[in-house]
Each structure stands twice: as structure tokens, then as C-alpha cells.
Amino acid sequence: MKTFLERLLDYYQLNEDDYKKLIAPVSVDSFLAGRKFDNIEKIVEFVKSFVTNNKKIIVYGDYDADGIMATSIIVKMFQYIGYEIHSYIPNRYQDGYGINLENAKKIVEDGFDLVITVDNGISAFEPIDYLKANNVSVVVFDHHEMQGSIPNCDYFMHPTLSNYGEVASSGAFTSFMFSVAFLGRFDKYLSILASISLISDMMPLKEYNRELLRLVISSYKEGEFLPIDLLKEQDTFNEVTIGMKIAPKINSVGRLIDSTLINQIIPFFVSNDKEKVMDCLTWINDCNFERKELSKNVIDVDSFKDTNEPAFVLKVDEKEGIIGLISNFLTSKYKKPSIVFTKDATGNSYKGSCRAPEGFNVVEAFEALKDYLITFGGHALAGGCSIEADKFDEFKEKFNQYVSEHPLVKVEKETIPLLIRELTFENLEIIKSFSPFGEGMKAPLFTLPRIKTNSLTFSKDQKHILTQIGMSTKLVGFNLPKEKVLAYDFVDLIGTMRKSEYRGFISLEFNISDFEQSNK
């Protein structure tokens, strides 16, 4: 059998030279070397001219973590030079996504001279035309796909359209790179905000995305930046903590708040007033708690499901920001596509959030059913759509028909064979050398072959595998009932390796995500 490192290299299709580049130390200088956005010097000069002439500037962001991070970066950037600007985070219920015509009119009425859109704007043709027609300058920092052409803005920055590179990146990354050019320096705090967006917006962890995240994680110091310490609590700052703890708290605000109160989140990230930051934290945590409580309504949704249908297509009386969580729960639990709808503010249409298991393509399904949809978008495993309220039953029938005619294509997950004796902290360190893990660079998946099922121990309720191996190693598998596992004499356990710390005791866990009957 090959060495543990050799098997990891094969898994990621890397040679030794690739691996050396992957783990090479990253610095601010190495990160900044060799790339820049088209026209960035001109854009900096253009924006600075509004400062020089004491003009009125507003940053228009978005209600998700990427948009909030991007807005905070630009507001803080101006704060560093002592120039006060305004910012606006739209709420999904009243404003919808991106700058709209109604708010463009308000911007004109309020006498703003420059609008900087962050994490939106690339498709805002009518609002930007209105702003320009009323002598308001517009700079767009966005990362979404271009829809035919660039809007009539003065300047735009976009990771791929502005030739920074070929790897898609986030709105906050784009805003951060502007801040570097504007300030003439790499600001550590702003880089942390940008790194959060890379995980929250599921950007591919390749090239400059990966290098920024590595740089931020490796240089993070406890006690240096209060807002981030407060969000992560006692956890180590890394991609897992961002994805599991920090980003969900930020996103909970955008999911729940249906008024301009959403804008209270920006002071949390930019204020130097500790008392104000702590007040904002209480509000963010309250939103996150409410999100969790509302998510428990999936139990009620679960109670009226029809498991005989090929997909879940449901109407619920919940906030739009919650339906994605419900859809995700159903798909994760029952391994079939789901769309959860809720009525929009007008009551004339439904907005839906769709999730699907691997082996089913949400966008292809939407494309096939576009005659029944008002709008749709997304990617293979998740998407959103809207339908006319009186078309719900017809759409439900057609979507179920489509799913039945397009059964899941079984996706074989590649795993690395592993022996029990290879569950060591030394090998865990080798795994960590390949991190950070995320989109485009998933954490390695392992298989422990031919485990005798009667050697496994279970929780008191018999639903979870909890098997101690030696003093500091254990096998942990949730929602793997004893009766199903013991149906076989031997199984292959599939999962990942991680370090666990509980009450000061550190252990190595093999987290079981699935199992199969052993064929050997």
C-alpha cells in the first residue's frame, strides 16, 4: 500500500511539485504579486476625486454575508481616511436583490453624487440608467454573471471580466482588492472580512481565493479584532468555523429582518465603539436564535409530506429567508429533490427554494419547466424560482413528473482506503497541510474497510455509532441506527478525520458519513 501522503496526492491528482506549491508559505507580497484588475488605478483616482471635492457617497450592498462583508469593507476603507460615507443594505422582502429603480430614485432625491454597488449591479440596467440620467456617478463592484452587456456605469470591477484571473471570486474579495489599491496597503482586518465571503459564497478555493484564505487563517490572532472573536466564540478561526458558525450568524440577519433595521449589522463590523458592537452582537445572536427556532418548523413540514412522490413540492407560511433551510432539511433527510414555496408580498406569486441530492441538476430541471416559471436561477444542487400563485398545483405535477423521468444518477464518491492504525494525529497533520478545504477542494473522504459490525458500540438510543478505539481515538456516526448497521456482518465505513476537544480532552475522531456492506 502506498504511503498516506502518496494516497492523498493521488486523491487530489497532484504530483510532488504541485504539493510543494500547495503548501509553500504565503505572504502579503506573494499574494499581491503579479495580478491586478483592469483600470484599477483609474477607478481609484475617480473615487478619490469625490473625496477631494467633498461629494456625497453611498455604498449599496446586499443582504447575504458576501454583500454585508463587501459593504463593511468599503465603509471601513473610507473610515480609515477619515471620510464619512453612507451605506445601504437592502432587505430581501421589501427591496429584493440588488439596487432597484425605487431606491435609485431615493438616492437621487437624497443628493448623492456617487453610488458604489458591491456584490450587485452587473445586471441593474434600468436603475443605473436612471442614476446616470440624473447626474449620479456609478461604480460597480460585482462578481455575478454578466447578462448580455455591462450596464451604463462609469467603471466596474469584476474578478473575471476585469481580467484579474480565471477563477470566480466573491463580491467582498473584489471590494477588498479595491481597498488595497485605494489605501495603498493590505489591511489585515479587511482581508478577514473578504475571507469570510469566500466560504459563505462557496467560491472555489483555488489560486488567489485559496491564497488569501491561507494567509488570513495563518496570521489570525486572538484578541486582535473584536467582531470576529465575538462571532466565532471559542472556536479556532478557520474555514470550518467560518462555514459553521460565523457565516450562518451573518446570514441569519438577511434571512429574517424585513425592514431597514438590517442596516444595523454594518456598525458591528465597522464601529470603534465597543458598547455599540456588543449591542449589535446581541441583536445578531437573537436573529440567529430565531433562525434556528424557525428552522424547527421543518418538523411540521415533515408531518404532511407524501413520501410516495418522487419530490417534495410544498407551500409553507414562512418567511422567504427560511424556506431554503426547510428545503435543505428535506433533501438531506430523504435524499430527493425538494422545492419549498412561500407567498411573496403581493400574494400573487410564490417564491421557491430548491435543493437536490447529487445526481440531479436543479438548473436543468428549471430550464425544462421554464414555461411554468416567472424567474429561476441557481446551480446544480440548489436554486430559486418563482411561479404564479394559481399555477402551484400544475407546477407540482410537472416537477414530480420531471423528477420521475430523470431519476438520480448515482454519484460514486472517490475515497481513500484507510486502516484503523492510520487514524493518527500525525496523519491528521498531513491532511491539514492540504487545507483550507471548501468548494473545489473538499476535505478528503476515507474508507475504513471490513469493519465487523458486532465490534461497534452505539448510543443509548441505538441511533448513533460511538465506538472508542484506544485512549484518544473514536468512531462517531450520527443517525446510523444499530438495526441497519447490524443487518450486515461486515461494513465499510466512509467518513473524514478531525480533531475534537471537549472539556480540555483532545481526541481524534473518524466521523462516519455513510456505510456500505463490505464486499471483501
Side-chain angles (χ1 to χ4, degrees):
M1 183 181 284
K2 292 183 177 180
T3 67
F4 186 74
L5 175 58
E6 287 171 340
R7 278 174 278 159
L8 279 169
L9 292 176
D10 289 345
Y11 182 79
Y12 289 113
Q13 299 181 345
L14 301 172
N15 57 38
E16 288 188 14
D17 287 339
D18 294 330
Y19 178 62
K20 288 177 181 177
K21 293 177 183 176
L22 195 76
I23 65 173
V26 60
S27 65
V28 170
D29 288 341
S30 65
F31 169 73
L32 294 177
R35 285 190 178 94
K36 68 175 183 177
F37 286 80
D38 287 348
N39 297 318
I40 193 163
E41 294 91 352
K42 291 181 179 179
I43 304 171
V44 167
E45 183 181 355
F46 182 73
V47 173
K48 283 187 174 181
S49 70
F50 288 84
V51 176
T52 302
N53 292 295
N54 199 30
K55 297 294 186 178
K56 198 173 179 182
I57 301 172
I58 186 169
V59 180
Y60 196 106
D62 188 30
Y63 47 71
D64 69 355
D66 184 20
I68 290 167
M69 294 298 92
T71 304
S72 299
I73 286 169
I74 299 301
V75 171
K76 192 72 176 177
M77 177 194 81
F78 279 105
Q79 208 178 81
Y80 284 144
I81 65 167
Y83 195 79
E84 184 178 345
I85 67 164
H86 298 256
S87 66
Y88 186 76
I89 300 293
N91 77 81
R92 69 170 76 215
Y93 303 100
Q94 296 177 5
D95 299 312
Y97 166 73
I99 188 168
N100 58 36
L101 184 58
E102 183 180 348
N103 284 336
K105 291 178 179 178
K106 290 179 183 177
I107 286 170
V108 172
E109 290 171 5
D110 290 339
F112 285 98
D113 301 293
L114 171 65
V115 179
I116 302 173
T117 69
V118 293
D119 194 31
N120 75 96
I122 201 74
S123 59
F125 298 100
E126 187 178 13
I128 290 176
D129 283 345
Y130 181 85
L131 291 168
K132 291 292 294 175
N134 286 275
N135 300 313
V136 179
S137 297
V138 182
V139 174
V140 172
F141 299 158
D142 203 354
H143 70 122
H144 295 98
E145 289 189 19
M146 180 175 65
Q147 296 185 8
S149 62
I150 300 297
N152 183 34
C153 55
D154 293 273
Y155 289 100
F156 75 95
M157 277 180 56
H158 186 289
T160 54
L161 297 177
S162 298
N163 296 309
Y164 186 79
E166 297 182 357
V167 177
S169 198
S170 64
F173 179 93
T174 307
S175 298
F176 170 67
M177 295 311 299
F178 177 77
S179 80
V180 173
F182 186 88
L183 297 171
R185 63 182 177 84
F186 180 105
D187 183 78
K188 186 175 180 181
Y189 178 60
L190 301 188
S191 75
I192 293 171
L193 300 185
S195 73
I196 291 171
S197 75
L198 297 176
I199 298 298
S200 69
D201 235 38
M202 300 179 69
M203 292 296 104
L205 295 188
K206 299 178 179 179
E207 296 187 24
Y208 34 87
N209 291 339
R210 174 184 166 79
E211 292 305 285
L212 179 63
L213 191 56
R214 284 184 67 212
L215 179 59
V216 168
I217 291 173
S218 64
S219 63
Y220 190 88
K221 293 180 181 178
E222 298 289 332
E224 195 169 4
F225 302 111
L226 179 63
I228 312 304
D229 283 344
L230 293 173
L231 289 178
K232 74 178 187 62
E233 300 172 32
Q234 302 302 314
D235 291 356
T236 301
F237 183 85
N238 56 31
E239 72 273 23
V240 176
T241 303
I242 294 172
M244 299 298 290
K245 183 163 283 187
I246 296 175
K249 289 180 180 179
I250 301 170
N251 278 323
S252 69
V253 175
R255 289 186 183 279
L256 296 176
I257 301 301
D258 55 3
S259 71
T260 56
L261 287 176
I262 189 174
N263 284 273
Q264 292 180 156
I265 197 166
I266 300 302
F268 177 78
F269 291 103
V270 305
S271 177
N272 296 317
D273 184 336
K274 183 176 180 180
E275 185 175 344
K276 181 180 285 188
V277 170
M278 297 305 296
D279 286 343
C280 289
L281 175 70
T282 300
W283 174 68
I284 292 169
N285 284 338
D286 286 346
C287 288
N288 194 45
F289 177 79
E290 185 180 353
R291 172 190 66 85
K292 290 178 181 178
E293 290 298 300
L294 288 172
S295 299
K296 291 178 181 178
N297 285 325
V298 295
I299 297 171
D300 298 328
V301 173
D302 204 22
S303 67
F304 61 81
K305 70 185 185 302
D306 182 355
T307 55
N308 294 320
E309 291 186 329
F312 294 115
V313 184
L314 308 173
K315 291 185 293 186
V316 298
D317 186 20
E318 299 291 347
K319 287 189 171 186
E320 180 192 334
I322 299 299
I323 57 177
L325 302 176
I326 299 173
S327 181
N328 188 64
F329 169 85
L330 292 171
T331 292
S332 297
K333 184 171 183 180
Y334 296 102
K335 310 301 181 190
K336 59 184 181 181
S338 66
I339 306 184
V340 180
F341 286 97
T342 191
K343 276 193 175 181
D344 69 2
T346 68
N348 297 322
S349 63
Y350 286 106
K351 290 186 176 181
S353 182
C354 184
R355 299 292 186 273
E358 287 189 275
F360 183 88
N361 191 299
V362 169
V363 174
E364 289 180 3
F366 284 164
E367 186 65 37
L369 301 173
K370 63 184 178 182
D371 290 345
Y372 303 92
L373 300 172
I374 302 171
T375 60
F376 67 89
H379 52 83
L381 302 182
C385 65
S386 61
I387 60 173
E388 294 177 12
D390 59 1
K391 297 287 182 67
F392 174 81
D393 291 334
E394 186 179 7
F395 175 79
K396 178 178 180 178
E397 179 186 351
K398 294 297 183 181
F399 187 79
N400 273 302
Q401 181 181 335
Y402 179 89
V403 175
S404 65
E405 293 172 354
H406 296 79
L408 295 180
V409 177
K410 185 173 176 57
V411 178
E412 295 291 341
K413 291 186 176 181
E414 186 178 353
T415 65
I416 301 171
L418 193 68
L419 302 176
I420 287 285
R421 66 171 180 267
E422 291 182 301
L423 293 172
T424 65
F425 285 104
E426 180 183 6
N427 283 339
L428 184 61
E429 287 301 310
I430 295 175
I431 294 171
K432 285 174 63 178
S433 71
F434 287 80
S435 68
F437 299 115
E439 200 68 21
M441 187 71 175
K442 299 292 186 182
L445 201 60
F446 299 95
T447 296
L448 289 173
R450 201 162 175 78
I451 302 297
K452 194 168 180 60
T453 56
N454 63 15
S455 69
L456 298 171
T457 54
F458 292 79
S459 58
K460 288 182 181 180
D461 61 8
Q462 309 293 295
K463 293 181 180 179
H464 316 294
I465 296 174
L466 299 172
T467 303
Q468 193 74 35
I469 302 173
M471 287 293 293
S472 61
T473 309
K474 53 188 174 183
L475 308 179
V476 178
F478 295 107
N479 299 312
L480 298 173
K482 184 176 182 179
E483 60 197 44
K484 288 187 177 182
V485 177
L486 292 186
Y488 310 107
D489 292 328
F490 293 90
V491 293
D492 297 340
L493 300 179
I494 301 167
T496 56
M497 248 196 276
R498 67 182 286 267
K499 182 173 75 171
S500 175
E501 187 169 354
Y502 181 69
R503 293 182 178 177
F505 181 74
I506 297 175
S507 61
L508 181 67
E509 289 183 358
F510 185 82
N511 287 103
I512 306 163
S513 56
D514 203 356
F515 71 92
E516 298 174 349
Q517 181 181 12
S518 183
N519 295 321
K520 297 180 181 179

